[in-house]
Amino acid sequence: MEDQNKMEEFQAKIDAGIKIEPKDWMPEKYRQTLVRQMSQHAHSEVIGMQPEGNWLTRAPSLRAKKILMAKIQDEGGHGLYLYCAAETLGVSRDKFIEWLHEGKAKYASVFNYPSPTWADMGAIGWLVDGAAIVNQVSLQRTSYGPYSRAMVKICKEESFHQRQGYEIMANLAKGTKEQKEMAQGALNRWWWPSLMMFGPHDSDSANTKDSMTWGIKLETNDDLRQQFIDKTIPQIELIGLKIPDEKAELQENGSYKTSEIDWDEFWNVIKGNGPCNAQRLKHHIKAHEEGAWVREAALAYGAKNN
Amino acid sequence: MSKDNQGPIWEVFVQSKPGKPFRHVGAVHAYDKEMAMENARDLYTRRSEGTAIWLVKADDIVASQPEDNGAFFDPANDKAYRHPTFYVMPEGAKNI
């Protein structure tokens, strides 16, 4: 059993808002929770490049293409910030990738949905990055120092992602009838998956209690989801699109009440049965394996020169 | 699955502009100095965050151990006379 005194000292630090740094003593379960959460977060950034990569060669203008390239590069960068932060917990980069490929580590389920139209690039930036921002702003205060610092950097960069997405949607929404329909279609496709990004209800979330006690999470799934809903619905209305939820209504407290999420779909996609689960992972494995010779050559070159 | 072949970790320090201290911003993997420098530039200065970069191989860093903190930093705790507030100034003294 872990030393009770150390445990109490650890909790006292958390409660006093003192960050935990890599060499500090920490309960094994705290370390494991961070390894799981941070690697999942890193994998999500990297896998998230795929639905957007789908439109890179078909972006409607040079401006749009440059923006999309910059956004995808940022996502890769965010993945690297997070892998570096996660590696401070004593797990190597290769191990994280191995666990992803073996299906032991997950990534955000939202990236298992396809991006069939250009409007999906708008909806992803606006809604998926928008939901990620709500979560990440909260995580800037997380108790593990390296994770917190990575979140601060990421939040500085995410705002451009959401704004470029909303700009795409706003332009389509004031375009031709077909363009407006395309925007509405993408909103309809991404609305529910975005709400699902915050995870199950607090009552069904296995990890919430420990994570909150240890200051890894500062706000619950349901609270963060509600913040996102309340920010986003007025943005939907502003550009003249329809909320993809007929029961959504503004309550007296200024917050929106929405329909229940289809949790069967949520668990089904998590279990690997979403529209693109197999394709996303297969593509990552292929890219990693095809890059093996580069790593081997670079390793030999580095050994010779250092 | 391949062996651990992502290359060594290099810690990255960026100076935001001349005159400012170098700040630790994160790390990169790279196989040699040149690649480490290019990776650090691409990863940590995409938005003109810096005018200079320092790289240190993570293995070369010597760090204090948190479990020794009490004894290690103890000599600083009982020397209040190292702080200006320790001293009593005469009533009415100005600009000191």
Side-chain angles (χ1 to χ4, degrees), chain A residues 216-282:
Chain A
I216 295 174
K217 272 173 83 158
L218 293 117
E219 291 167 278
T220 66
N221 295 352
D222 286 329
D223 286 348
L224 292 165
R225 181 165 26 238
Q226 192 63 47
Q227 286 176 33
F228 174 71
I229 290 169
D230 293 343
K231 273 182 202 204
T232 309
I233 287 183
Q235 293 167 358
I236 296 176
E237 290 172 332
L238 182 71
I239 57 173
L241 295 180
K242 212 167 132 275
I243 307 161
D245 179 358
E246 284 175 5
K247 287 188 191 151
E249 61 172 338
L250 187 59
Q251 304 170 106
E252 276 184 15
N253 63 6
S255 198
Y256 287 85
K257 190 170 161 33
T258 48
S259 304
E260 190 54 76
I261 287 169
D262 181 352
W263 294 110
D264 289 341
E265 178 184 330
F266 173 82
W267 292 113
N268 198 37
V269 179
I270 285 196
K271 282 184 194 125
N273 304 320
C276 301
N277 293 57
Q279 179 191 334
R280 299 288 186 239
L281 201 55
K282 197 174 147 205

Side-chain angles (χ1 to χ4, degrees), chain A:
Chain A
M1 286 308 288
E2 278 166 338
D3 188 329
Q4 190 62 29
N5 286 341
K6 281 184 174 171
M7 194 72 189
E8 279 167 20
E9 272 176 39
F10 174 81
Q11 191 63 49
K13 271 168 84 176
I14 301 277
D15 295 342
I18 298 170
K19 300 280 187 233
I20 306 302
E21 291 295 337
K23 285 167 175 279
D24 292 345
W25 184 89
M26 60 186 84
E28 186 51 27
K29 187 143 182 263
Y30 176 84
R31 199 186 73 87
Q32 284 169 7
T33 303
L34 282 169
V35 164
R36 178 182 54 75
Q37 182 173 331
M38 291 168 73
S39 67
Q40 177 173 333
H41 201 156
H43 297 323
S44 302
E45 298 281 357
V46 171
I47 298 285
M49 295 194 283
Q50 291 187 38
E52 298 185 313
N54 181 36
W55 278 93
L56 211 42
T57 56
R58 293 172 290 157
S61 67
L62 182 58
R63 178 183 187 267
K65 186 172 183 159
K66 277 159 63 181
I67 291 168
L68 194 56
M69 290 265 275
K71 180 173 190 294
I72 294 170
Q73 194 189 10
D74 272 357
E75 306 300 2
H78 295 174
L80 294 178
Y81 299 160
L82 283 158
Y83 283 127
C84 286
E87 280 176 287
T88 62
L89 293 160
V91 180
S92 72
R93 179 85 52 95
D94 285 86
K95 206 68 191 165
F96 286 127
I97 295 170
E98 187 182 316
W99 287 338
L100 174 68
H101 290 177
E102 288 172 351
K104 286 182 191 159
K106 297 209 180 304
Y107 55 88
S109 271
V110 74
F111 298 118
N112 291 319
Y113 291 88
S115 51
T117 72
W118 173 250
D120 291 87
M121 294 304 94
I124 289 176
W126 173 32
L127 301 174
V128 176
D129 287 84
I133 289 172
V134 170
N135 191 31
Q136 290 173 159
V137 163
S138 181
L139 282 172
Q140 289 181 107
R141 292 179 289 131
T142 192
S143 59
Y144 187 55
Y147 194 21
S148 162
R149 293 192 285 274
M151 282 299 113
V152 171
K153 289 177 64 58
I154 288 174
C155 284
K156 274 189 196 156
E157 300 182 354
E158 285 281 5
S159 174
F160 130 62
H161 298 181
Q162 195 190 15
R163 290 174 63 118
Q164 65 84 33
Y166 191 49
E167 188 193 78
I168 291 173
M169 292 296 267
N171 284 338
L172 288 171
K174 68 182 180 208
T176 63
K177 185 167 163 284
E178 287 78 11
Q179 286 173 327
K180 189 166 183 180
E181 280 169 10
M182 192 195 276
Q184 184 67 53
L187 170 57
N188 295 350
R189 270 193 294 286
W190 291 95
W191 174 250
W192 293 107
S194 303
L195 298 191
M196 290 177 198
M197 281 174 71
F198 296 95
H201 280 315
D202 301 336
S203 49
D204 302 322
S205 171
N207 305 311
T208 292
K209 193 171 165 288
D210 279 346
S211 289
M212 303 250 331
T213 307
W214 287 334
I216 295 174
K217 272 173 83 158
L218 293 117
E219 291 167 278
T220 66
N221 295 352
D222 286 329
D223 286 348
L224 292 165
R225 181 165 26 238
Q226 192 63 47
Q227 286 176 33
F228 174 71
I229 290 169
D230 293 343
K231 273 182 202 204
T232 309
I233 287 183
Q235 293 167 358
I236 296 176
E237 290 172 332
L238 182 71
I239 57 173
L241 295 180
K242 212 167 132 275
I243 307 161
D245 179 358
E246 284 175 5
K247 287 188 191 151
E249 61 172 338
L250 187 59
Q251 304 170 106
E252 276 184 15
N253 63 6
S255 198
Y256 287 85
K257 190 170 161 33
T258 48
S259 304
E260 190 54 76
I261 287 169
D262 181 352
W263 294 110
D264 289 341
E265 178 184 330
F266 173 82
W267 292 113
N268 198 37
V269 179
I270 285 196
K271 282 184 194 125
N273 304 320
C276 301
N277 293 57
Q279 179 191 334
R280 299 288 186 239
L281 201 55
K282 197 174 147 205
H283 184 76
H284 193 283
I285 292 172
K286 180 169 173 271
H288 188 69
E289 285 177 353
E290 286 177 357
W293 72 270
V294 179
R295 290 189 296 279
E296 279 160 26
L299 197 62
Y301 179 81
K304 202 176 80 180
N305 288 337
N306 282 334

